[in-house]
Amino acid sequence: MPAKRELTMRQIRQMLRLARDGVSAREIGRTLGVARSTIQDNLKRASTAGLAWPLAGDLTDAVLEQRLFAHAGVRRGFRRRREPDWASLACELKRPGVNLMVLWEEYRAVHPEGYGYSRFCDLFREFDRRLSPTMPRGSVKIPRVWSLETPPPDDRRQRR
């Protein structure tokens, strides 16, 4: 999940200045009107990125944001673990005797470093939800329509 930045760049610059002056995270939070944990998180990000006050004059807001909130190591839109072919798994799941546990065990036999069972199920459900976004599967009950000739079984008018 991407980092949630609740501070403006101006507030981040002020936070770095106050931290350099020796002000506690709690006091910085009170000054900026945010939680102490948010200040601690942003100070940790700044130290990891090698940022300290005074910042370089040519450091723009965009560059500062990129240095603070960029995720290293993983490109956006890519997962770290090898994924199965979800479409073929959806077809396999329709066969009798096949359930997600069986499919996961086969997946882990081929990819031992792969997803755990709960994450595997979450990813499969996410894929399955995208198959038919307008009609959820298994949750729609179709109302029974009675013909005019046959009254419904609980019609008390017919039991006189």
Side-chain angles (χ1 to χ4, degrees):
M1 182 177 273
K4 183 178 179 183
R5 181 177 53 84
E6 296 178 3
L7 299 176
T8 64
M9 287 299 126
R10 183 176 185 172
Q11 288 175 318
I12 288 176
R13 290 174 191 273
Q14 185 177 4
M15 174 195 69
L16 291 173
R17 182 183 56 78
L18 291 170
R20 188 225 31 200
D21 293 342
V23 179
S24 69
R26 180 166 289 157
E27 275 302 311
I28 296 172
R30 282 188 193 136
T31 303
L32 298 178
V34 295
R36 175 188 48 85
S37 59
T38 301
I39 298 298
Q40 290 173 332
D41 179 51
N42 283 292
L43 287 173
K44 183 178 174 186
R45 287 178 183 278
S47 67
T48 303
L51 297 171
W53 191 262
L55 296 173
D58 61 340
L59 192 65
T60 64
D61 285 351
V63 173
L64 178 60
E65 182 176 9
Q66 196 276 331
R67 286 182 63 186
L68 283 175
F69 299 103
H71 292 284
V74 179
R75 290 188 306 183
R76 225 177 167 168
F78 289 91
R79 295 200 170 111
R80 294 178 187 215
R81 295 193 166 99
R82 174 92 180 187
E83 290 196 28
D85 180 16
W86 298 113
S88 67
L89 290 182
C91 291
E92 285 287 319
L93 198 58
K94 294 177 185 175
R95 293 180 36 214
V98 177
N99 57 29
L100 281 176
M101 179 63 83
V102 171
L103 295 175
W104 175 74
E105 288 172 351
E106 292 174 358
Y107 163 73
R108 283 301 286 258
V110 177
H111 305 288
E113 74 289 342
Y115 293 112
Y117 180 68
S118 60
R119 180 66 177 149
F120 180 85
C121 291
D122 289 342
L123 291 172
F124 179 79
R125 286 187 196 105
E126 181 181 315
F127 169 80
D128 195 39
R129 207 174 304 121
R130 284 181 285 164
L131 288 179
S132 179
T134 58
M135 181 94 166
R137 297 172 186 215
S139 63
V140 176
K141 294 190 176 187
I142 300 172
R144 182 171 289 191
V145 178
W146 298 95
S147 70
L148 294 176
E149 298 171 9
T150 309
D154 61 352
D155 189 4
R156 297 178 199 268
R157 288 180 286 157
Q158 299 294 328
R159 297 184 188 171
R160 291 183 195 178

